[in-house]
Amino acid sequence: MKIVIANTTHIKYAEIICETIAEAALVRGTGIAKRKPEYIATKMENNNAVIALDGDKFAGFCYIEKWGHGKFVANSGLIVHPDYRNIGLAKSIKEVIFKHSRTKFPDAKVFSITTGLAVMKLNSDLGYKPVTFSELTDDQTFWDGCQTCRNYDILTRTNRKMCLCTGMLYDPNNNNKSASKEVKESVFKRLKNMKQNLFLKHEKK
């Protein structure tokens, strides 16, 4: 197994990456923004992605997005093929893409929005902290990308202040690492449950 910075030689995997993301969204029943192979290919061409390969077989993927004229970057599209789940690969990919982001964009704040408890824990271990959406990028293009998510209606009806996703931020100017160690997965679970209960009650009215 190897995890490398993606390039043009990996464009042949773009189709299966998109298929794996779409299938994961159906299985989880949570919001995952869909992407087209052409979009994934562009990330590879610009060396803004990492890919995990078992020989020539696709195992996992994640890419970098730049927002607000480089003030913010996001590690998005983290996905692991079903054949390689539950072996710690997601954590390894997350660590590689985070390090790559910090190398390419050392002054940028790194953020994430996710409904996944495992991703929240991975982010926390890297030094992210939970934040309100107002602390994330105000780049409209980023938020437009949420339109393919099944929870987009929640985001719009709350005027982009809240959703089932949790916003998390790594600020290179703050010592996030030491502060984040006390954030446990149980905290994220309670936060997610609170959001789900809030919006489910709203929809039943």
Side-chain angles (χ1 to χ4, degrees):
M1 181 75 68
K2 60 180 180 180
I3 302 173
V4 299
I5 307 302
N7 56 51
T8 54
T9 66
H10 300 112
I11 290 177
K12 60 185 178 182
Y13 297 103
E15 189 75 39
I16 190 174
I17 289 170
C18 292
E19 290 174 359
T20 306
I21 291 174
E23 290 169 2
L26 290 175
V27 172
R28 297 177 194 174
T30 56
I32 302 178
K34 297 178 181 179
R35 292 291 181 257
K36 295 182 179 180
E38 295 79 10
Y39 183 83
I40 297 299
T42 300
K43 295 300 177 182
M44 294 175 172
E45 291 171 349
N46 295 328
N47 299 127
N48 282 337
V50 301
I51 188 168
L53 297 171
D54 182 9
D56 291 330
K57 187 175 180 181
F58 166 69
F61 181 77
C62 192
Y63 61 87
I64 301 171
E65 292 180 300
K66 185 173 65 173
W67 306 103
H69 304 290
K71 293 181 180 179
F72 292 87
V73 297
N75 297 157
S76 303
L78 176 61
I79 192 69
V80 173
H81 190 276
D83 293 347
Y84 297 93
R85 289 174 186 164
N86 302 313
I87 60 172
L89 183 56
K91 181 178 181 180
S92 297
I93 293 173
K94 188 74 176 178
E95 290 172 347
V96 174
I97 193 69
F98 179 75
K99 182 178 180 180
H100 186 43
S101 299
R102 297 285 296 117
T103 300
K104 286 199 71 172
F105 309 101
D107 299 322
K109 296 179 180 179
V110 188
F111 75 97
S112 170
I113 62 170
T114 181
T115 58
L117 296 176
V119 175
M120 292 180 203
K121 181 61 168 59
L122 291 176
N123 286 343
S124 180
D125 290 342
L126 289 170
Y128 292 70
K129 65 176 182 179
V131 295
T132 61
F133 282 6
S134 63
E135 295 179 66
L136 306 180
T137 179
D138 59 359
D139 192 320
Q140 185 60 43
T141 306
F142 169 78
W143 298 104
D144 287 344
C146 293
Q147 292 180 22
T148 58
C149 174
R150 61 182 295 174
N151 299 320
Y152 184 66
D153 67 307
I154 298 176
L155 187 67
T156 53
R157 73 174 183 241
T158 61
N159 295 318
R160 216 171 66 194
K161 294 180 180 178
M162 189 180 296
C163 193
L164 290 184
C165 281
T166 294
M168 302 189 74
L169 181 74
Y170 176 91
D171 187 344
N173 297 313
N174 293 330
N175 187 17
N176 287 348
K177 190 76 174 182
S178 60
S180 68
K181 290 182 179 179
E182 297 180 0
V183 181
K184 298 180 180 179
E185 187 170 353
S186 58
V187 175
F188 293 124
K189 189 172 183 179
R190 288 199 298 272
L191 178 60
K192 182 177 179 179
N193 288 339
M194 288 171 60
K195 288 185 176 183
Q196 288 177 327
N197 289 334
L198 173 64
F199 291 118
L200 283 175
K201 287 180 180 179
H202 184 278
E203 290 172 354
K204 289 179 180 179
K205 290 182 179 180

